Structure formats: C-alpha cells, structure tokens
Amino acid sequence: MSQLPQGAVLSEALELNASAPPRKVSRALAEEVPVALSYNGSTQAVMMASPSDLTDFAYGFSLTEGIITHPDQITDLSIESHDAGTELRMWLAEDQARALTTRRRAMAGPVGCGLCGIDSLSEATRALPLVTADPRLPLHMVLSATETLRAAQTLHDATRSVHAAGFLTRDGLLLAREDVGRHNALDKVIGALTRQGIAPATGAFVLTSRVSIELVQKCALAGSGMLIAVSAPTTRAIATADAAGVTLVALSRAASVLAFTHTSRLTGNTP
C-alpha cells in the first residue's frame, strides 16, 4: 500500500468470504482522537476529531463558536500531545478572555458536538448576521461541486470513513479539509481561510454530508453566501438558511441539484 495520509493507520482484520477460506488482511482506518480546545488554561470543549490540520481547527472552532471574531485575538497557540489525546492550547486577548470567562459562568451543562457551550434552547436557534455575500458561481460549477471536492479527499480514499468540506470560487476549489466529524471538517476550512486571509464571502462551502442547523450557522457566521452539500438538509437548516440569507443547495449530483433558499444567486433571475 502506498504511504498513508495523515489521519490514517493500518489495522489487521480477518476477512470472511462465503466462497473462500478466511484470511488476514490489512485495512487503512481513520484515526479518531480526543482533541481538547483550551483557552487561557481552561478547557472549553473536547471533540472527537481527526489529528490533521489542527491549527486550522483551532481557529475555525474559535470563530464559529463566537470565542473570537478575528484571528489576531488568539495571541498564542500550541499543540500539546498527551497519552489521552491532543490539546489545542490557546491564549486570548484580554477582552476575549474576559468575555469567555463570563460565558463559562453562565453555562448550565457540558459542551458537546455540534452546538458547543450553549446554555439555553434559545441559543440553539441564535440570531445570525444577514449574509449579503454574492459569489454568483456558474451553474456548471455548482453542479460539479461535490465531484470536485471528491477528487480532493485523500483520507477518504484511504479509509472510506471521513467527511470533507471545501471552499469553491470561480477559480475552482481553493482548499479542502477532512475529518471524522462533518462539523470539524467545516471548522478546519473556515480556520484555513482565516489564516490565509481569504474572505469566505468570495465563494461557497461544499460538504460531503447532510445539512443540519449548526452547519448553516457556521456558514453564516463565516460570511459565506452559499452552502452546497451532497445529501439532504433538515427543515430547520432550510429555515435557518432562509433567514440568514444563505443559498442552500443540497442533494448535489452531476446532472442536477436542489436549491432550497435564495436561488437567485444561482441563475440571476429565479423568482
């Protein structure tokens, strides 16, 4: 087997076949490790994630969870390896550190995957900024978006068990990130864009997963006007995208897509 991508390891298994004797085989599997995100010495969340592009993950998570609004507000970041997992250790500027301390005091329960660190049902459907970005991607690029992303999924090629997110502009797919968690993959893309100084308003996010509310929230908070996914959205995701001004495109196939909200960005004249 060729060299494995970061985030994949070989594992031994017994292959059972109805027409052949059992045999031992080696199979590439995706790593899934605990990743703790800590700020100024206190852990905010522990996520199960792929151990790749973790600096991007740190910035993307911090932005989409409202801990920072600009990358310069993280004054220092280190990645620490422990026997139990990996810690992304960040230090915040004074104002952000103070705001996070206040937020922690108000929290009623533990954080978890998807909607992290919220303390009420109303925060789960929090108000989002109205997205005015207008990427105007040609229809042929929208139709081929998920196939374009598919070509960049090296970890999926090796393991068949991870999600991917990418950022698509008129110039093509600028970058892609993979993770065992679909939320993590999108956070990694948002973090990478932020670190590289690329405005999410200039393109669309592309996902290999279904679309739930928190993915739309992350898209809106990043400022991108379009989200394209291979699978279906939930009704709450559609309502959230509509209210936030995000064009939600789902069930993406080579010949057709379903556009649920703000479809004028796709054709220029759709009512």
Side-chain angles (χ1 to χ4, degrees):
M1 180 178 289
S2 59
Q3 184 175 1
L4 294 175
Q6 186 178 10
V9 295
L10 282 179
S11 181
E12 299 295 323
L14 185 66
E15 183 181 69
L16 303 175
N17 191 306
S19 59
R23 62 169 185 153
K24 289 184 177 181
V25 296
S26 294
R27 177 72 160 79
L29 299 178
E31 289 186 273
E32 185 177 24
V33 301
V35 176
L37 297 106
S38 69
Y39 300 88
N40 290 35
S42 296
T43 298
Q44 176 68 15
V46 178
M47 311 291 284
M48 299 305 297
S50 297
S52 58
D53 302 302
L54 291 180
T55 300
D56 292 338
F57 184 40
Y59 277 89
F61 179 92
S62 301
L63 284 161
T64 62
E65 293 302 323
I67 294 168
I68 63 172
T69 58
H70 191 276
D72 289 347
Q73 292 166 349
I74 295 178
T75 60
D76 189 42
L77 185 154
S78 63
I79 300 176
E80 309 291 337
S81 296
H82 305 282
D83 290 341
T86 300
E87 181 183 5
L88 306 183
R89 188 175 296 172
M90 289 165 275
W91 295 90
L92 301 176
E94 184 176 345
D95 287 348
Q96 280 63 47
R98 188 181 305 113
L100 184 57
T101 298
T102 301
R103 172 176 169 177
R104 285 198 184 107
R105 287 172 181 161
M107 283 173 59
V111 298
C113 182
L115 298 171
C116 300
I118 64 172
D119 68 337
S120 69
L121 291 175
S122 62
E123 275 195 78
T125 54
R126 56 186 161 167
L128 296 172
L130 182 63
V131 179
T132 58
D134 194 6
R136 295 280 176 174
L137 294 176
L139 182 57
H140 73 88
M141 294 189 74
V142 175
L143 289 171
S144 62
T146 55
E147 283 301 311
T148 301
L149 177 59
R150 177 69 188 86
Q153 294 179 244
T154 55
L155 183 56
H156 176 79
D157 288 343
T159 66
R160 305 293 176 182
S161 61
V162 296
H163 287 292
F167 185 68
L168 183 70
T169 72
R170 284 178 174 268
D171 295 324
L173 189 73
L174 296 192
L175 56 87
R177 296 291 185 268
E178 295 180 274
D179 199 278
V180 291
R182 55 202 174 97
H183 314 91
N184 302 341
L186 182 55
D187 275 339
K188 287 179 178 181
V189 168
I190 292 170
L193 294 175
T194 299
R195 296 178 63 218
Q196 295 178 34
I198 301 171
T202 60
F205 291 122
V206 187
L207 305 176
T208 60
S209 65
R210 67 181 178 90
V211 183
S212 50
I213 180 175
E214 61 272 27
L215 295 172
V216 175
Q217 289 173 335
K218 290 177 185 293
C219 178
L221 288 167
S224 176
M226 190 178 299
L227 184 61
I228 305 169
V230 71
S231 296
T234 65
T235 55
R236 179 71 70 175
I238 294 171
T240 302
D242 191 35
V246 172
T247 298
L248 177 54
V249 180
L251 294 163
S252 174
R253 303 293 186 267
S256 69
V257 296
L258 292 183
F260 289 91
T261 59
H262 301 280
T263 59
S264 62
R265 286 195 183 99
L266 297 174
T267 65
N269 59 8
T270 298

